[in-house]
Amino acid sequence: MTANETNDPGTLRVGDADRKAALDRLGLYFAGGHLDVAEFDERSGKAAIAKVRGDIDALFVDLPPLDDAKAPASRNPYRAETIDEAQGELDRVMKRAEVVQKVDAAVWGATMVIFFVSLFVLHWQYFWLVFPIAGVASGAVRRAFRLTPEEEELYEKLSGAEQRERMQRLEQAADKRRELGY
């Protein structure tokens, strides 16, 4: 590495917090109409795998600044309160979706137990009724937590991306451990 590369902020490594902040920022640009769906997907994918600061900076070079001090606060949709509110709302959606996923797993786990007990132990002829009941219960949980299909899809996308990143880090750590002979 040359002296110029060590002084270049674009070559500094980024972490999960930097990638998450970039994804949040891209979401604000998308919500503001600055990016279409294809651009948002492409840039989000690049943000998720960014290695250095320059990778992240490149995603925003053609976009207006979020903190436009010249715009009056009432007309600037990207003022600090709006960014904080959007982040808070996303956090609340993610927590609700996580609870719904856990309750859903419990509902369907119990459904399978009841199904097998009613079919093989009790020999109940209406054993099949547990599935429509579980479907209604799943829908009721989503309604109770006011989780829309779009919010659930977003949760699955973000948690899937986080899981893939975690698995990549673990695989890299395992590879490193094998290289070092542990």
Side-chain angles (χ1 to χ4, degrees), residues 21 39 41 45 59 86 88 117-118 125 158 167:
E39 291 171 315
D41 284 344
L59 301 172
V117 167
S118 65
Q125 77 181 66
L158 292 176
M167 289 308 298

Side-chain angles (χ1 to χ4, degrees), residues 9 19 29 33 43 48 50 58 65 103 106 118 121 130 151 163-164 173 175 181:
R19 287 186 280 274
Y29 281 115
R43 292 181 194 215
V103 172
S118 65
V121 176
V130 296
E151 291 170 340
Q163 185 65 22
R164 283 189 299 278
D175 290 344

Side-chain angles (χ1 to χ4, degrees), residues 16-110:
D16 291 340
D18 300 307
R19 287 186 280 274
K20 184 180 182 311
L23 290 168
D24 291 344
R25 241 176 105 195
L26 286 170
L28 292 172
Y29 281 115
F30 177 67
H34 295 284
L35 298 172
D36 63 26
V37 173
E39 291 171 315
F40 176 71
D41 284 344
E42 178 186 348
R43 292 181 194 215
S44 295
K46 289 179 180 178
I49 61 170
K51 300 281 187 227
V52 295
R53 182 88 240 151
D55 295 340
I56 290 179
D57 292 343
L59 301 172
F60 300 98
V61 293
D62 62 335
L63 295 170
L66 287 177
D67 297 322
D68 186 3
K70 297 175 189 167
S74 63
R75 300 207 46 202
N76 184 355
Y78 304 114
R79 67 187 189 275
E81 298 86 35
T82 305
I83 294 169
D84 290 342
E85 289 169 5
Q87 184 61 45
E89 183 177 0
L90 177 61
D91 290 343
R92 288 187 296 277
V93 166
M94 294 297 284
K95 285 177 186 170
R96 282 195 337 256
E98 186 175 358
V99 170
V100 166
Q101 291 288 319
K102 288 177 181 177
V103 172
D104 218 22
V107 164
W108 286 99

Side-chain angles (χ1 to χ4, degrees), residues 108-156:
W108 286 99
T111 298
M112 294 309 294
V113 169
I114 294 168
F115 168 74
F116 285 112
V117 167
S118 65
L119 178 63
F120 296 115
V121 176
L122 301 176
H123 304 289
W124 186 45
Q125 77 181 66
Y126 298 107
F127 63 89
W128 55 270
L129 284 174
V130 296
F131 293 110
I133 292 169
V136 169
S138 255
V141 167
R142 282 162 177 75
R143 286 191 81 169
F145 284 92
R146 294 187 312 268
L147 188 69
T148 66
E150 294 82 11
E151 291 170 340
E152 191 166 7
E153 185 178 332
L154 176 64
Y155 169 79
E156 290 171 6

